Amino acid sequence: MSTDIIPMNEYVSSQPEVSGRPEWVKALILMTCVQVAATLSTLALTALAPEVAASLGIGAHWIGYQISLIYFAGVFASAVAGSVVETFHAERVVVFEMGAFAVGLLLLASAQPVLMVLGSALFGICYGLNNPASSEILNRTARGGRHSLIFSIKQTGVPLGAVLASVTLPSLAVLFHGAQDGWRLALVAAALVPLSLMVWSWTRFSFAPVRRGAGRGNPFRRAAQDQAELYRNDRLRTLAVLGGLYSALQLVATAFTVVMLVEHGWSLVAAGAVAAGLQLAGAVGRISWGVAADRLGGFRTLGVIGVLAGAIMFSLGWIAVMPGWAQAVLLVALGSVATGWNGVFLAAAARTAPEGKVGANTGALLVYTFIGVIIGPSVFALVYNVVGTYEQCFMLFSAIGLVGAVLSFRQAARGRIEK
């Protein structure tokens, strides 16, 4: 780590605290809140899609294009994240992204299509920078073999942010229904969350001077160099493939649960409750897998996750003959593994990074995670058009988890696991 990085006032110090909470707890609280705000912002329009579509006179299915735009922008932001974090430092990036998320929500609230597209692209840029910056900060404070647990707790901000968006924003839209386009006021209210965190983090961080030469010229050339370094490292290559495979698996599990249950006779409300249970199980699973990874090692834990996710998805081939309670239990169990891998993955990325390049390494790896998010659901939809049933699609996609397990256990067998 470069010596010219000035630590945060309260979140990073060169020595452990003598009394009070450990320093990593303070960093973790802030980074988890930042993750909640990032997810809340990114999914805000999704939570309000019917209201927004009716107001703008478009089909609700257009929300799919907005999500694709966000993740497409995230690919490029992740690719250059190493140069950005190294030049401006992680603390400054976190403050910027919180302010940018607030601006993006206000752009969505404008109800002007061009501005809404710009706001969505801004979300993707910020989301692509978020994990590299937060990983840099958390990696400095993680001690006592708790890397995987710390990163996994931070990643619970994803389902928590999703639940917050799904519950509060529609309620706010109804509350403001007396006003014209209540959904716009709901988005303005949501902007207060990242805006507050921007102010909070600004008061807690100390900022090092910008390292103007750190980016070494063209950021895209630097991104190409980061990718070349990734491909030269066997562990990083494995993590890149795992990120693409497991992110595709996660999006398939979360995106098609409701439609599959409705196809098998569930009401929309009941199917939605199961989907919410899947998300909450993912939050619990992230913490549990983080604890396991600190004991078993990251790659071995990722292998176990792949085996379980593959086995559960394969068993969904017989969901049509299962009682309703068994269907719900199986899908909630799938959520605990298929959406619980992220923290272990990010901790492994930080632990395998070259000295001083946690942000760059995380950004380079997350390129493949974003690609998996973009490609996975689309390929699933194409397969569905061929085979005709969700059960068979899930059975075929179970191979993704099993392939990930083989790659993980192979890497573990080589004795190159972070402990």
Side-chain angles (χ1 to χ4, degrees):
M1 193 72 65
S2 301
T3 56
D4 61 340
I5 294 180
I6 298 176
M8 297 181 283
N9 284 339
E10 292 198 25
Y11 293 91
V12 179
S13 62
S14 59
Q15 300 295 330
E17 293 188 359
V18 176
S19 60
R21 292 175 296 182
E23 57 182 319
W24 63 264
V25 173
K26 298 179 180 180
L28 179 58
I29 291 172
L30 178 55
M31 291 303 101
T32 303
C33 290
V34 165
Q35 185 63 66
V36 169
T39 305
L40 166 68
S41 302
T42 303
L43 298 180
L45 206 62
T46 303
L48 297 167
E51 288 274 346
V52 177
S55 175
L56 299 180
I58 60 176
H61 67 277
W62 278 79
I63 192 65
Y65 295 108
Q66 192 243 3
I67 294 296
S68 295
L69 173 60
I70 289 173
Y71 285 110
F72 187 74
V75 171
F76 294 96
S78 291
V80 301
S83 179
V84 173
V85 172
E86 188 174 343
T87 300
F88 297 100
H89 301 292
E91 292 84 357
R92 192 174 278 109
V93 172
V94 168
V95 172
F96 163 78
E97 71 178 71
M98 287 295 98
F101 274 124
V103 171
L105 286 166
L106 295 178
L107 290 174
L108 293 185
S110 70
Q112 299 298 316
V114 174
L115 295 181
M116 296 177 78
V117 168
L118 289 176
S120 299
L122 191 59
F123 286 165
I125 293 171
C126 294
Y127 210 77
L129 295 175
N130 179 54
N131 276 319
S134 61
S135 292
E136 183 80 38
I137 291 172
L138 290 177
N139 190 62
R140 295 182 208 152
T141 61
R143 286 188 174 87
R146 297 189 182 98
H147 267 75
S148 294
L149 175 60
I150 290 171
F151 279 77
S152 295
I153 293 175
K154 177 259 180 185
Q155 283 302 108
T156 62
V158 175
L160 292 177
V163 171
L164 187 63
S166 300
V167 173
T168 62
L169 294 184
S171 299
L172 287 173
V174 172
L175 179 65
F176 297 134
H177 190 66
Q180 184 178 11
D181 295 334
W183 63 269
R184 298 174 64 183
L185 292 178
L187 290 173
V188 172
L192 296 176
V193 176
L195 187 62
S196 300
L197 282 169
M198 182 193 75
V199 174
W200 183 27
S201 57
W202 198 332
T203 62
R204 296 301 186 185
F205 288 152
S206 291
F207 299 99
V210 174
R211 289 184 285 184
R212 302 187 183 280
R216 298 201 300 272
N218 190 321
F220 291 101
R221 184 178 301 170
R222 168 69 183 279
Q225 293 172 350
D226 291 338
Q227 290 297 322
E229 293 177 11
L230 184 153
Y231 281 109
R232 285 193 291 267
N233 186 304
D234 184 51
R235 287 177 294 173
L236 297 181
R237 287 199 307 271
T238 300
L239 283 172
V241 176
L242 289 175
L245 292 175
Y246 284 2
S247 62
L249 202 68
Q250 175 177 338
L251 262 291
V252 163
T254 56
F256 294 98
T257 293
V258 170
V259 292
M260 182 176 67
L261 289 176
V262 170
E263 187 178 82
H264 287 88
W266 288 63
S267 70
L268 185 61
V269 173
V274 173
L278 184 151
Q279 290 282 5
L280 292 175
V284 175
R286 289 168 199 243
I287 298 174
S288 302
W289 290 119
V291 173
D294 285 330
R295 289 164 171 75
L296 300 176
F299 283 108
R300 189 176 287 113
T301 302
L302 289 170
V304 174
I305 289 173
V307 169
L308 293 176
I312 294 172
M313 292 188 76
F314 189 80
S315 66
L316 290 175
W318 291 271
I319 195 170
V321 299
M322 296 179 185
W325 66 266
Q327 296 177 12
V329 168
L330 202 61
L331 287 168
V332 170
L334 178 62
S336 68
V337 289
T339 70
W341 61 278
N342 315 69
V344 178
F345 172 83
L346 289 174
R351 295 295 293 271
T352 56
E355 181 68 23
K357 298 192 65 177
V358 172
N361 188 65
T362 303
L365 287 170
L366 286 176
V367 168
Y368 303 94
T369 301
F370 280 112
I371 291 174
V373 168
I374 294 170
I375 294 178
S378 300
V379 173
F380 189 97
L382 290 173
V383 173
Y384 177 80
N385 288 332
V386 175
V387 302
T389 68
Y390 290 106
E391 301 97 291
Q392 292 182 26
C393 286
F394 274 108
M395 288 183 71
L396 292 172
F397 268 70
S398 67
I400 293 177
L402 300 178
V403 170
V406 170
L407 294 174
S408 300
F409 286 131
R410 186 185 67 175
Q411 193 60 242
R414 292 175 179 176
R416 297 176 179 177
I417 317 166
E418 74 288 355
K419 294 295 185 181

